[in-house]
Amino acid sequence: MKLFKRPKKPGVLPMPLWLQGMFELGQAAVLSALVVILPLTGVWAANGFSDRDYASLARLSGQAWLLLHGVPLTLSLPAGTIGPEESAGLLSLIPLGLTLIPFFLCWRAGRRLARASYTDQLWQALIGALGTYAMLGVAAAYFSANEDVSISLVAGGLIPLIAAGLGVIIGARQEAGSWVRLIGVDLTDWIARTSQHSRWAGSYLWAAVRAGAVGVTAAVSLSALLLVAALAMNWTQMAAVYQRLDAGIIGGAVLTVGQLGLLPNLVAWTLSWASGAGFSLGTGSTISPLETTVGPLPALPVLAALPGGQMEFAYAALLIPVAAGVLAGWWFLREGENHFDEWLAIKVDARWFTATVSTVCLGGIIGIVAGFFAAGAALLSRGSLGIGRFVDVGPDPLWTGIWIAAEVAVGAVIGYAAGPWLEREKSRRPASDALGSAT
């Protein structure tokens, strides 16, 4: 029986793995709930919820806890709230920044469970951990529902397991150091038994997938810098919105925390804007470098940073995904895994043809991978506020993926084609330095 790389640390109570899993993720659920309960309690204590008793505040906290896990809430708005008739809507806009809180708490729990488990026994801890989290989600959905908000018990039990399960598995894998220590399956040995051609094809595709991940990571990073620049340039307008709201110290702090929770969403929206696909803030609105049409917006300070007016240089933002693709193509060249190009060169003598075909195919694969990840980010960041025209908020995943795929593919072709000249220039520098030192 093999132990994990790190032995069980002293101070951990001896208990069955399933029980320790229940304890670890139960603790994560409670801590993540406190992150929601304490700010809302502060607002309530400052008479921010004058029409609510503490039981109603507890239900509101449960609804917020479920929402940050991605559970949609069905709102039933009474007549006169947004119109003369009673209306219903779906609140599904997830503050991804707040979702990272239970994710990292479960990541920590996964590492602790990995230290306490033998190889092939982690499943026992996972059953107890995820089963407990699901039951807590069902309980939160049941007790948080009222006449204004209805919540599916199935969604309350299953959807929180996405963030919790990813956190536990990633944390356990990091602690174990390898999948063979975690689940007892040696993928390296299985790959070694395949044919050489299969290994070459697998290494080529795996390197292309990683290059696509490099491309979309670079695009997201550059979009985040663009968002920071937009916030910095519109700081005075944001401060003016804060002053008009006059929410007080506690209310302003809670409002700021909520906006920080939306920062990952805003980064994804900026990525979609920079790609040219754009995003929407309500039905009928479009915000992109090509066209901007915005209706009335809620009084949220961060929305003061939206692009507007004359945007002569907005088209330059379209270069962000292309630049990310250039980096991805150069990264793939440095990996040296273009076995498809080698195979084509063996089959066809015309080098100009094989180099062109292999480079274009490589750019297409990298672009598709980057577009897939970008579409996933757009899907997670979009949602509905369930009120009036704000039932369509965020980027369109399909168009975001298509634009990012095309632009990253073009950049990857450029980066891979220009890579040899960059590498050649880099390799010349040590020789010139050596010559200078010798003289």
Side-chain angles (χ1 to χ4, degrees):
M1 182 178 296
K2 298 179 181 179
L3 286 170
F4 282 104
K5 183 171 62 176
R6 294 184 182 179
K8 181 178 177 181
K9 289 187 176 181
V12 178
L13 295 177
M15 63 179 70
L17 286 177
W18 62 269
L19 183 58
Q20 184 169 349
M22 294 178 61
F23 173 79
E24 293 290 348
L25 252 67
Q27 182 185 51
V30 171
L31 291 176
S32 61
L34 287 177
V35 173
V36 175
I37 294 173
L38 293 179
L40 292 179
T41 302
V43 175
W44 177 74
N47 295 323
F49 300 125
S50 58
D51 58 340
R52 288 183 180 270
D53 55 12
Y54 199 78
S56 176
L57 179 65
R59 285 193 294 271
L60 179 62
S61 300
Q63 295 163 10
W65 185 84
L66 290 169
L67 182 63
L68 69 87
H69 281 83
V71 179
L73 310 178
T74 302
L75 307 180
S76 299
L77 304 177
T81 303
I82 59 173
E85 298 180 356
E86 182 178 355
S87 61
L90 188 68
L91 177 59
S92 60
L93 184 63
I94 308 170
L96 295 178
L98 298 181
T99 306
L100 294 176
I101 295 175
F103 172 82
F104 282 116
L105 289 172
C106 293
W107 170 82
R108 173 181 173 273
R111 299 194 64 173
R112 290 170 59 88
L113 292 176
R115 286 197 295 266
S117 302
Y118 290 101
T119 302
D120 299 335
Q121 291 186 348
L122 184 65
W123 63 270
Q124 301 177 25
L126 289 179
I127 289 178
L130 298 181
T132 300
Y133 217 83
M135 288 188 293
L136 291 175
V138 171
Y142 179 79
F143 289 106
S144 300
N146 55 25
E147 63 276 4
D148 298 327
V149 180
S150 59
I151 309 169
S152 169
L153 297 183
V154 175
L158 296 181
I159 294 181
L161 296 183
I162 299 175
L166 286 175
V168 168
I169 293 174
I170 293 174
R173 167 62 178 80
Q174 184 177 1
E175 182 67 26
S178 66
W179 288 111
V180 64
R181 289 180 178 270
L182 187 65
I183 60 177
V185 177
D186 192 351
L187 297 178
T188 304
D189 181 65
W190 176 80
I191 294 174
R193 292 196 299 268
T194 61
S195 66
Q196 183 63 50
H197 292 291
S198 299
R199 290 198 296 271
W200 280 341
S203 62
Y204 170 78
L205 291 175
W206 179 234
V209 170
R210 287 182 290 154
V214 168
V216 76
T217 301
V220 169
S221 301
L222 293 174
S223 300
L225 292 177
L226 181 61
L227 175 62
V228 170
L231 294 175
M233 290 188 296
N234 295 277
W235 178 251
T236 55
Q237 292 89 328
M238 295 170 58
V241 177
Y242 269 108
Q243 292 177 353
R244 287 197 300 268
L245 289 175
D246 193 20
I249 297 177
I250 297 179
V254 173
L255 179 62
T256 301
V257 170
Q259 292 178 103
L260 290 175
L262 288 174
L263 272 183
N265 303 66
L266 298 178
V267 171
W269 297 1
T270 306
L271 173 64
S272 182
W273 183 85
S275 71
F279 61 94
S280 64
L281 285 175
T283 304
S285 68
T286 301
I287 303 173
S288 75
L290 310 177
E291 177 188 4
T292 299
T293 304
V294 183
L297 296 175
L300 195 63
V302 72
L303 296 182
L306 287 174
Q310 298 297 325
M311 297 186 295
E312 295 85 357
F313 303 102
Y315 291 100
L318 299 176
L319 296 177
I320 287 179
V322 178
V326 171
L327 180 62
W330 187 19
W331 183 91
F332 185 89
L333 175 70
R334 293 177 62 86
E335 283 292 289
E337 295 286 355
N338 198 351
H339 302 299
F340 179 61
D341 180 65
E342 298 168 357
W343 179 81
L344 276 180
I346 294 174
K347 298 295 182 180
V348 182
D349 293 334
R351 182 58 185 152
W352 63 269
F353 174 78
T354 59
T356 302
V357 171
S358 63
T359 304
V360 171
C361 289
L362 172 65
I365 296 174
I366 293 176
I368 290 172
V369 173
F372 177 79
F373 284 124
L379 180 63
L380 289 176
S381 68
R382 67 177 280 111
S384 168
L385 294 180
I387 301 174
R389 54 187 291 268
F390 296 103
V391 295
D392 183 17
V393 178
D396 182 87
L398 178 60
W399 283 109
T400 300
I402 291 175
W403 280 78
I404 290 292
E407 292 162 341
V408 170
V410 171
V413 170
I414 297 173
Y416 186 82
W421 280 271
L422 298 174
E423 294 296 319
R424 187 180 306 169
E425 182 67 22
K426 185 178 179 180
S427 64
R428 286 176 181 173
R429 291 177 183 172
S432 61
D433 293 345
L435 181 60
S437 61
T439 56

